[in-house]
Amino acid sequence: MTLNVADARPAGPAGAPPLLELRGISAAYEQVEVLHKVDLAVPTGKVMAVLGPNGAGKTTMLKVITGLHEPTGGDIFLAGRCVTGAAPVDLARIGLCSIPEGRGVFPNLTVSENLWMATYRGVSRKEIEEKVFPIFPRLKERRTQAAGTMSGGEQQMLAVARAIATNPAIILLDELSMGLAPLVVDQLYDVVGKIAETGVTVLLVEQFARTALAVADLAAVMSGGRILQVGTPDEIAGDLHSAYLGG
Amino acid sequence: MHEFIILTISGLVTGGIYAITAGGLTLTYTTTGIFNFAHGVTGALAAFTYWQLHFDWGWPVWLSIIVVLGILAPAFGVFLHFAIMRRLEGTSETTRLMVTVAVLLSLLATVMWVWDPQTPRNVVNFFPGESVDMAGTRVSYHDLITLAVALIVAIGLWVLLRSTRAGVAMRATVDDRNLAVLNGSRPEVPGMLAWATGTMLAAVAGILIAPKLSFAALPLTLLIVNAYAAAVIGRLKSLPWTFVGAMIIGLVTEYGKGYLTETRFPTAGPYLSGLTDSMPVLVLFLAIMLLPTSRLRGHASSRTREIAHRPTWTGSLVFAALVIAGAVVAANTLGAADLFASTKMWGFAIIALSVIPLVGYAGKMSLAQLGFAGIGAICVSHLGSGGNPLGLLWAALICAGIGVLVALPALRLSGIYLALATAAFAVMLDRWIFQLPAFTWGDTRIDLFNSGTLNFERFDWPGIDISSDRAYFIFGAVFFALSSLVVVWIRRGEFGRRLLAMKDSPAACATIGMNHKLTTLTVFGLSAAMAGVGGGILGGALGTLSPVNFDFTAGLSVLMLMVIAGLTSPGAALFAGIFLGTPLITNLFPDYAQLTTILIGLNGIALGKNPNGFIAAKIRPEWEPALQRPFILAGSAAAQLVLVVLRFTDVIGNWAFVIGILLAVIGIPAAVKGELMLKAPRTEQELPPGLSEQPEGLGLNGHRFKPADIEGLDKLIAMPSLPTVAMAETPSPTLPGARHGA
Ligand SMILES: Nc1ncnc2c1ncn2[C@@H]1O[C@H](COP(=O)(O)OP(=O)(O)O)[C@@H](O)[C@H]1O
Ligand SMILES: [Mg+2]
């Protein structure tokens, strides 16, 4: 693959294609369709938050984008180029960084080995550590500890560290806050906000709105496998109560 | 002192070979999550290939080595990865283990088929005759090479897994394959590399040890058992500890051989010679028992697609009746030689049945069931002399007791470690206990295996005479049928539910306050008792038994067949009995003595596809509809009856009879299918508007939901006529609790 998403990053003229675009994506497990013609566009350099209740299909959507789950219909475009059906490895190597649901770390590898696994993008091991350790000093202290033995918050920091270190074009985050204390969540989203400020595009997915909306430029509501609404965080926050949180 | 040095050196050399083997095992386990039982036999295959190239065809050593180690072994590893191991993702630990056992069985049979064990072969040391002086002893070049290779392998593997990205990626892939991919690591590469390297290490060990063992496939294959011990000391992941463990085992074995001799201990010597052979196994047992539980966690087994069908009483009674009826017919039609050769099938079938509660329901991997059968046979032979049926009772009681004793230390083990502990127990029985010469304890003279052969008489039940082969065959069938009902009774009762719960979620069982220790001990005892009885029945069938009948690999075959056919169905036990205990396969293919084993192995390798066994996957769906159609069943039964009568009156011969029965049996599902097809509507039914398929067929049989279908369904469900229909009824009083009431 020669496609390089990073090329598209310098914000083009107003008509430039969104960095990530889903057109009519449908997906199914076995015979049951769980995504019904999802359309979504994430503009270059923006943070998009997709909110939705449990089972809405958020994780499935991210799996489709990363290439781990094959869609039954529709196309995915990265920087204007169609990447439907591309192998997840290739997508990862061209700069699509995804942090899956749960803890995105290798439990039996040490912290430092976990970071080593992030070098497939071409960033050296040393560079990664130099970039990550100032932001998360906790990880430096635990360099030789097995990742699985750290606290949930520390593990999630390690997962996010990969996103910081590898200069991705776009970052996909699946429920970063799952099972973590609010304070830790705030800290993690703080870091996400800082990464976004450097011009990286972010697509994040959450069940609970508050922290996610604070860092987002755009927001969408997903339920029952469909995108119900797209708007600014304020608009979405206003409607959310009636949409599903209140009901 | 001099002797001590010699023994130390040879201990280190032996340890070196164990280290190479265990290193390869650990490598594939840490990088693919598969504990490869076939590691030893792969080494044997390599050693035999090396023999073929160098000693038989006269190729130079260097060329043979390069071809075997550099080309064939890695290529075979890559083949294993792509053809077999890669498909095991998402299967349970039991399945993964049994697939490698299947590889073991089929490779072993292949090696014995290609290189006939009757022909003597010889492999000599590298640089024969050359040696150096060290500390006053002569050490051969071969031994020095072995030690050096062991060191290089240990260090090399450690560097590979810790300090190269390829190695880290291998470990990462086992942890979380998808995450590794999302990181940009190509998923095929680590597995392929691991199997190529692992197989090469097996080959190195096989070639180095070949001159030391009597050059035969079986000892080379079982070398793996010694290496397990080292790998377990390294907890299947720490390479330095594996190396240390291998050296300890090598030293202990050689010191044992050197010091525990008959000249030193004239009385105890004969008893100890088996002990030194099973020394590594003792170490394995100790290591598993002594390591802290937290260290003994295998790779987490993912949720699997394995289920235990709940048998109905009707179905089970029909099965039992059919078994007995079939046996009566077979006993009256088989020729004398075939009938004698087939009487042992019921012993095997009952032993196979004993696997069901323990492995099938409770998910406790035990490789020692045939060992328990051996103990049962000893009990029946000694305590049931003259055919006293009480011997069977003794066998059940004693085996249950020993089963509980074995289970006690194994309580905290699961998965691979339990399998290894039971394997160690089985090998210890086979190599040592069953081989013990006679000894006296107090005034009693105990001679477990009568120094080689146990004798049996057919049971002497009051009132019935089962001394003829025909009667004994039917007796075995009745016994098996009754035992299968016991298993069904267990499954359907409270105890069976507990076993299944324990298999599904041990943690959840603990939280609801279930006494899972008691449950485990009970099921171990029960299964051991059943296996013991099976051993006794087997003895009665054959008249004599020797330790070979209960050797470890034979036990693997029994388990393997059960896994292939389905660990939870009594039908599988019948299948295992027929396969192992009748001359069916050898009669069909007389020239291929190894074929039985190869067939077992090949079927086992296909396990990844049908983890529930072929009975659940193939046979049950075909036959279940037939049970609802008594007419078809009765028709087939009548046809079979006619055939039986024709056969007994000698109107037709054996072949016509067998073919006729087969047709009558196969006809059942065929008739059911025909009936279903006839009933199916000939003309296309009107499809509801907007749907591409009848609503009940949507999403089934490859008809995917299409968006139009969903819209159509929406319309269907929102049919306006529905409430009107309800209204048309008499104005009913509002029911309390009705959802739409009032
Ligand atoms: N592996 C799977 N197999 C079958 N159904 C699944 C699987 N994963 C998710 N689903 C179903 O797909 C729907 C969407 O799930 P998911 O994408 O995980 O939702 P979310 O992440 O929004 O909670 C749910 O109804 C869920 O039950
Ligand atoms: Mg989710």
Side-chain angles (χ1 to χ4, degrees), chain B residues 17-44:
Chain B
I17 290 168
Y18 292 163
I20 299 169
T21 315
L25 258 186
T26 308
L27 175 74
T28 43
Y29 186 72
T30 43
T31 56
T32 64
I34 297 171
F35 189 90
N36 185 13
F37 262 77
H39 198 75
V41 75
T42 316

Side-chain angles (χ1 to χ4, degrees), chain B residues 235-269:
Chain B
R235 287 162 285 135
L236 298 178
K237 61 180 183 219
S238 156
L239 286 164
W241 277 107
T242 303
F243 190 81
V244 171
M247 290 302 163
I248 292 174
I249 293 166
L251 287 172
V252 168
T253 313
E254 294 299 325
Y255 290 147
K257 272 189 198 151
Y259 291 127
L260 301 178
T261 55
E262 241 176 302
T263 39
R264 265 171 220 268
F265 301 95
T267 41

Side-chain angles (χ1 to χ4, degrees), chain A residues 53-60 101 174-175 178 205 207:
Chain A
N54 216 339
K58 307 177 299 287
T59 301
T60 310
E101 203 171 22
D174 196 349
E175 299 205 27
M178 192 190 270
V205 144
Q207 280 193 48

Side-chain angles (χ1 to χ4, degrees), chain A residues 27-35 51-63 69 101 174-175 178 205-207 222-225:
Chain A
Y29 289 104
E30 307 291 328
Q31 307 286 334
V32 185
E33 195 174 81
V34 296
L35 288 184
L51 308 175
N54 216 339
K58 307 177 299 287
T59 301
T60 310
M61 179 176 77
L62 294 189
K63 277 195 204 158
H69 190 94
E101 203 171 22
D174 196 349
E175 299 205 27
M178 192 190 270
V205 144
E206 279 288 354
Q207 280 193 48
M222 184 176 207
S223 183

Side-chain angles (χ1 to χ4, degrees), chain A residues 28 30-33 36-37 66 68 72 88-90 92-93 96 98 100 103-110 113-114 116-121 162 226, chain B residues 161-166 168-169 171-173 175-187 237 299 699-707 710:
Chain A
E30 307 291 328
Q31 307 286 334
V32 185
E33 195 174 81
H36 317 291
K37 294 202 173 158
T66 52
L68 286 176
T72 49
V89 182
D90 295 321
R93 291 193 179 187
L96 181 111
S98 156
R103 309 279 169 249
V105 299
F106 301 104
N108 287 314
L109 267 53
T110 64
E113 284 168 341
N114 262 282
W116 200 355
M117 282 302 288
T119 58
Y120 284 93
R121 265 281 281 161
R162 182 158 64 89
R226 293 186 169 89
Chain B
L161 286 181
R162 298 277 145 187
S163 330
T164 67
R165 193 176 67 172
V168 172
R171 288 161 50 217
T173 308
D175 262 10
D176 188 336
R177 185 185 165 94
N178 278 345
L179 187 59
V181 169
L182 291 178
N183 270 285
S185 154
R186 296 211 182 272
K237 61 180 183 219
H299 287 293
L700 297 174
N701 305 330
H703 291 287
R704 292 212 156 181
F705 271 114
K706 298 191 186 70
I710 292 167

